[in-house]
Amino acid sequence: MDYLKSSHLFQPNCTQKKETDSFIYKSNFFDLKNSLPPHQEIYIDASKNTEGTAIAIIQPNSQTAFQIPSYNSIYTAEYLALLKATELAASSDIQSSTIYTDSLSALTNLANPQKNNPIGNLILNIIFLSKKDIRFLWVPGHNNIPGNEYADEIAKRATKEQTYFWNITTHLDTKLLINTNLDQTCLQEWRSVRNNKLREIKSSTLPWLPDTSLPRRHQIVLNRL
Protein backbone atom coordinates (compact mmCIF):
# COMPACT_ATOMS: atom_id res chain seq x y z
CA MET A 1 0.00 0.00 0.00
CA ASP A 2 1.58 3.27 -1.12
CA TYR A 3 -0.68 5.80 0.58
CA LEU A 4 -0.78 4.34 4.08
CA LYS A 5 2.58 3.20 5.39
CA SER A 6 2.61 0.29 7.81
CA SER A 7 4.42 2.54 10.28
CA HIS A 8 1.38 4.83 10.29
CA LEU A 9 -1.15 2.15 11.25
CA PHE A 10 -0.97 0.94 14.83
CA GLN A 11 -2.89 -2.11 15.98
CA PRO A 12 -2.61 -4.33 19.07
CA ASN A 13 -0.05 -7.09 19.08
CA CYS A 14 -2.54 -9.48 20.69
CA THR A 15 -4.08 -11.91 18.22
CA GLN A 16 -7.25 -13.00 20.04
CA LYS A 17 -9.29 -10.06 21.30
CA LYS A 18 -11.86 -12.13 23.20
CA GLU A 19 -9.18 -14.14 24.96
CA THR A 20 -7.02 -11.17 25.97
CA ASP A 21 -7.52 -9.27 29.21
CA SER A 22 -8.58 -5.65 28.68
CA PHE A 23 -5.71 -4.49 30.89
CA ILE A 24 -3.22 -5.87 28.36
CA TYR A 25 -4.90 -4.00 25.52
CA LYS A 26 -4.99 -0.80 27.53
CA SER A 27 -1.32 -1.12 28.48
CA ASN A 28 -0.43 -1.90 24.87
CA PHE A 29 -2.36 1.16 23.72
CA PHE A 30 -0.55 3.57 26.04
CA ASP A 31 2.83 2.08 25.13
CA LEU A 32 2.12 2.75 21.45
CA LYS A 33 0.65 6.19 22.14
CA ASN A 34 3.67 7.29 24.17
CA SER A 35 6.07 6.05 21.49
CA LEU A 36 4.65 8.42 18.86
CA PRO A 37 6.34 11.72 17.99
CA PRO A 38 4.51 14.96 18.93
CA HIS A 39 1.15 15.07 17.17
CA GLN A 40 -2.41 16.39 17.22
CA GLU A 41 -4.79 13.87 18.82
CA ILE A 42 -8.16 13.25 17.16
CA TYR A 43 -10.57 10.79 18.79
CA ILE A 44 -13.56 9.52 16.85
CA ASP A 45 -16.54 7.26 17.40
CA ALA A 46 -19.91 6.36 15.91
CA SER A 47 -23.25 5.42 17.41
CA LYS A 48 -26.35 3.75 16.00
CA ASN A 49 -29.62 3.15 17.82
CA THR A 50 -33.37 3.35 17.25
CA GLU A 51 -33.22 7.16 17.34
CA GLY A 52 -30.59 7.63 14.67
CA THR A 53 -27.00 7.23 13.53
CA ALA A 54 -24.23 9.73 14.25
CA ILE A 55 -20.48 10.25 14.36
CA ALA A 56 -18.27 12.38 16.58
CA ILE A 57 -14.81 13.88 16.06
CA ILE A 58 -12.96 15.20 19.12
CA GLN A 59 -9.97 17.51 18.62
CA PRO A 60 -7.88 19.19 21.34
CA ASN A 61 -9.88 22.43 21.28
CA SER A 62 -13.09 21.48 19.53
CA GLN A 63 -15.67 18.79 18.99
CA THR A 64 -17.86 18.07 15.98
CA ALA A 65 -20.81 15.73 15.57
CA PHE A 66 -22.82 14.78 12.52
CA GLN A 67 -26.01 12.86 12.07
CA ILE A 68 -25.96 10.64 8.99
CA PRO A 69 -28.79 8.71 7.29
CA SER A 70 -30.11 6.25 9.85
CA TYR A 71 -29.99 3.30 7.44
CA ASN A 72 -26.20 3.41 7.36
CA SER A 73 -24.65 0.45 9.15
CA ILE A 74 -22.50 1.02 12.22
CA TYR A 75 -19.52 -0.16 10.16
CA THR A 76 -20.19 2.54 7.55
CA ALA A 77 -20.63 5.10 10.33
CA GLU A 78 -17.22 4.20 11.80
CA TYR A 79 -15.67 4.53 8.35
CA LEU A 80 -17.33 7.93 7.81
CA ALA A 81 -15.93 9.11 11.14
CA LEU A 82 -12.47 8.09 9.89
CA LEU A 83 -13.09 10.01 6.67
CA LYS A 84 -14.19 13.20 8.41
CA ALA A 85 -11.28 13.04 10.86
CA THR A 86 -8.84 12.53 7.97
CA GLU A 87 -10.29 15.57 6.19
CA LEU A 88 -9.83 17.68 9.33
CA ALA A 89 -6.27 16.44 9.84
CA ALA A 90 -5.39 17.12 6.19
CA SER A 91 -6.75 20.69 6.32
CA SER A 92 -5.13 21.47 9.68
CA ASP A 93 -2.09 23.71 10.05
CA ILE A 94 -0.54 20.96 12.14
CA GLN A 95 1.73 18.63 10.20
CA SER A 96 1.34 15.49 12.34
CA SER A 97 -1.97 14.02 13.52
CA THR A 98 -3.02 10.71 15.03
CA ILE A 99 -6.60 9.51 14.66
CA TYR A 100 -7.79 7.24 17.46
CA THR A 101 -10.65 4.83 16.76
CA ASP A 102 -12.03 1.76 18.51
CA SER A 103 -13.16 0.23 15.20
CA LEU A 104 -10.55 -2.44 14.61
CA SER A 105 -12.44 -3.78 11.58
CA ALA A 106 -12.31 -0.38 9.84
CA LEU A 107 -8.57 -0.04 10.45
CA THR A 108 -7.90 -3.60 9.33
CA ASN A 109 -9.74 -3.06 6.05
CA LEU A 110 -8.15 0.35 5.57
CA ALA A 111 -4.79 -1.42 5.58
CA ASN A 112 -5.96 -3.83 2.87
CA PRO A 113 -6.88 -1.99 -0.37
CA GLN A 114 -8.21 -5.18 -1.96
CA LYS A 115 -10.97 -5.31 0.66
CA ASN A 116 -11.51 -1.57 0.80
CA ASN A 117 -14.71 0.26 0.03
CA PRO A 118 -14.95 3.65 -1.74
CA ILE A 119 -14.77 5.52 1.57
CA GLY A 120 -11.51 3.79 2.43
CA ASN A 121 -10.03 4.66 -0.95
CA LEU A 122 -11.06 8.28 -0.46
CA ILE A 123 -9.29 8.33 2.92
CA LEU A 124 -6.09 7.01 1.34
CA ASN A 125 -6.26 9.59 -1.46
CA ILE A 126 -6.70 12.44 1.02
CA ILE A 127 -3.64 11.28 2.96
CA PHE A 128 -1.57 11.01 -0.21
CA LEU A 129 -2.54 14.44 -1.54
CA SER A 130 -2.21 16.24 1.78
CA LYS A 131 1.47 15.37 2.27
CA LYS A 132 0.68 15.35 5.99
CA ASP A 133 1.85 12.87 8.59
CA ILE A 134 -1.48 11.23 9.47
CA ARG A 135 -1.42 8.15 11.66
CA PHE A 136 -4.10 5.78 12.93
CA LEU A 137 -4.12 4.08 16.30
CA TRP A 138 -6.64 1.54 17.53
CA VAL A 139 -7.94 2.34 21.00
CA PRO A 140 -9.62 -0.38 23.09
CA GLY A 141 -13.20 0.78 23.58
CA HIS A 142 -14.98 0.99 26.94
CA ASN A 143 -11.72 0.98 28.89
CA ASN A 144 -12.03 4.40 30.54
CA ILE A 145 -9.68 6.08 28.09
CA PRO A 146 -10.82 9.74 28.30
CA GLY A 147 -10.70 10.69 24.61
CA ASN A 148 -12.49 7.53 23.51
CA GLU A 149 -15.11 7.77 26.25
CA TYR A 150 -15.84 11.39 25.36
CA ALA A 151 -16.16 10.62 21.64
CA ASP A 152 -18.56 7.79 22.51
CA GLU A 153 -20.65 10.12 24.67
CA ILE A 154 -20.85 12.85 22.01
CA ALA A 155 -21.75 10.36 19.25
CA LYS A 156 -24.57 8.86 21.34
CA ARG A 157 -25.87 12.31 22.23
CA ALA A 158 -25.83 13.35 18.57
CA THR A 159 -28.27 10.56 17.65
CA LYS A 160 -30.90 12.31 19.80
CA GLU A 161 -30.12 16.01 19.55
CA GLN A 162 -30.32 18.49 16.69
CA THR A 163 -26.92 18.75 15.01
CA TYR A 164 -25.29 18.93 11.58
CA PHE A 165 -26.67 16.46 9.05
CA TRP A 166 -24.24 14.82 6.64
CA ASN A 167 -26.19 13.22 3.80
CA ILE A 168 -23.77 10.51 2.78
CA THR A 169 -24.00 6.75 2.39
CA THR A 170 -22.62 3.82 0.39
CA HIS A 171 -24.14 1.75 -2.39
CA LEU A 172 -24.23 -1.28 -0.09
CA ASP A 173 -26.28 0.54 2.55
CA THR A 174 -28.58 1.94 -0.15
CA LYS A 175 -29.06 -1.52 -1.65
CA LEU A 176 -29.92 -2.95 1.76
CA LEU A 177 -32.44 -0.14 2.34
CA ILE A 178 -34.13 -0.81 -1.02
CA ASN A 179 -34.31 -4.56 -0.38
CA THR A 180 -35.73 -3.99 3.11
CA ASN A 181 -38.43 -1.65 1.77
CA LEU A 182 -39.32 -4.12 -0.99
CA ASP A 183 -39.63 -6.93 1.55
CA GLN A 184 -41.93 -4.80 3.72
CA THR A 185 -44.09 -3.80 0.72
CA CYS A 186 -44.48 -7.42 -0.36
CA LEU A 187 -45.34 -8.43 3.19
CA GLN A 188 -48.04 -5.76 3.47
CA GLU A 189 -49.59 -6.82 0.16
CA TRP A 190 -49.46 -10.48 1.17
CA ARG A 191 -51.28 -9.77 4.42
CA SER A 192 -53.87 -7.49 2.78
CA VAL A 193 -55.19 -10.14 0.35
CA ARG A 194 -58.46 -11.63 1.53
CA ASN A 195 -59.22 -15.34 1.46
CA ASN A 196 -55.55 -16.13 1.04
CA LYS A 197 -55.35 -19.82 1.86
CA LEU A 198 -51.60 -19.92 1.35
CA ARG A 199 -51.24 -17.40 4.16
CA GLU A 200 -52.55 -20.04 6.53
CA ILE A 201 -49.47 -22.07 5.63
CA LYS A 202 -46.99 -19.21 5.42
CA SER A 203 -47.92 -15.94 7.14
CA SER A 204 -44.92 -14.02 5.83
CA THR A 205 -43.23 -13.35 2.48
CA LEU A 206 -39.84 -13.40 4.15
CA PRO A 207 -37.59 -16.40 3.46
CA TRP A 208 -38.81 -19.56 5.10
CA LEU A 209 -36.34 -20.94 7.58
CA PRO A 210 -35.57 -24.48 6.48
CA ASP A 211 -36.82 -27.34 8.59
CA THR A 212 -33.71 -29.46 8.71
CA SER A 213 -35.73 -32.43 9.90
CA LEU A 214 -37.41 -32.65 6.48
CA PRO A 215 -35.81 -34.15 3.38
CA ARG A 216 -34.29 -31.62 1.00
CA ARG A 217 -36.96 -32.27 -1.64
CA HIS A 218 -39.75 -31.51 0.84
CA GLN A 219 -38.06 -28.25 1.83
CA ILE A 220 -37.95 -27.19 -1.84
CA VAL A 221 -41.64 -27.99 -2.35
CA LEU A 222 -42.66 -25.97 0.72
CA ASN A 223 -40.65 -22.93 -0.38
CA ARG A 224 -42.23 -23.04 -3.84
CA LEU A 225 -45.78 -22.91 -2.55
Side-chain angles (χ1 to χ4, degrees):
M1 177 170 42
D2 296 326
Y3 296 173
L4 186 63
K5 299 177 182 178
S6 59
S7 60
H8 285 57
L9 180 62
F10 295 86
Q11 298 179 359
N13 294 325
C14 313
T15 56
Q16 297 296 328
K17 184 176 179 181
K18 293 182 179 180
E19 300 175 4
T20 304
D21 189 276
S22 60
F23 173 79
I24 297 177
Y25 274 117
K26 192 172 182 179
S27 177
N28 192 355
F29 165 75
F30 281 110
D31 286 344
L32 287 172
K33 182 175 181 292
N34 294 333
S35 70
L36 297 177
H39 61 276
Q40 171 187 209
E41 295 185 351
I42 303 176
Y43 283 87
I44 64 172
D45 206 356
S47 180
K48 181 179 178 67
N49 52 45
T50 56
E51 297 180 89
T53 307
I55 63 174
I57 301 93
I58 309 300
Q59 294 175 274
N61 299 313
S62 66
Q63 64 184 47
T64 309
F66 294 89
Q67 287 184 355
I68 59 177
S70 59
Y71 55 83
N72 279 314
S73 68
I74 186 62
Y75 174 75
T76 296
E78 296 281 7
Y79 237 135
L80 289 174
L82 276 176
L83 172 60
K84 183 58 68 174
T86 303
E87 290 177 344
L88 291 173
S91 61
S92 171
D93 294 332
I94 301 175
Q95 180 62 26
S96 298
S97 300
T98 300
I99 298 171
Y100 297 86
T101 175
D102 59 13
S103 178
L104 185 57
S105 58
L107 286 186
T108 300
N109 288 334
L110 188 62
N112 188 344
Q114 294 179 347
K115 293 184 178 180
N116 237 329
N117 61 23
I119 299 175
N121 290 326
L122 184 56
I123 291 172
L124 298 180
N125 284 330
I126 292 172
I127 294 173
F128 176 73
L129 295 174
S130 72
K131 308 300 181 183
K132 295 289 184 67
D133 181 21
I134 301 175
R135 303 168 186 265
F136 298 89
L137 177 57
W138 178 77
V139 52
H142 308 293
N143 271 271
N144 296 318
I145 296 174
N148 176 252
E149 294 294 327
Y150 189 46
D152 178 67
E153 176 188 343
I154 297 301
K156 288 179 178 177
R157 189 188 305 169
T159 64
K160 307 173 184 178
E161 300 177 354
Q162 189 71 24
T163 186
Y164 299 107
F165 183 74
W166 190 16
N167 190 16
I168 185 172
T169 187
T170 68
H171 71 282
L172 291 177
D173 291 288
T174 303
K175 181 179 179 181
L176 179 60
L177 174 66
I178 293 173
N179 289 338
T180 300
N181 288 339
L182 286 175
D183 288 341
Q184 291 300 320
T185 300
C186 291
L187 180 59
Q188 290 175 3
E189 292 181 357
W190 177 255
R191 290 177 174 174
S192 66
V193 176
R194 296 182 178 180
N195 300 321
N196 188 344
K197 294 183 178 180
L198 288 178
R199 195 169 61 228
E200 297 177 6
I201 301 174
K202 189 172 188 294
S203 61
S204 170
T205 57
L206 299 177
W208 206 340
L209 294 178
D211 185 349
T212 55
S213 65
L214 295 175
R216 173 66 177 169
R217 181 173 179 79
H218 291 180
Q219 294 180 37
I220 294 174
V221 171
L222 285 173
N223 277 282
R224 288 179 176 175
L225 287 176

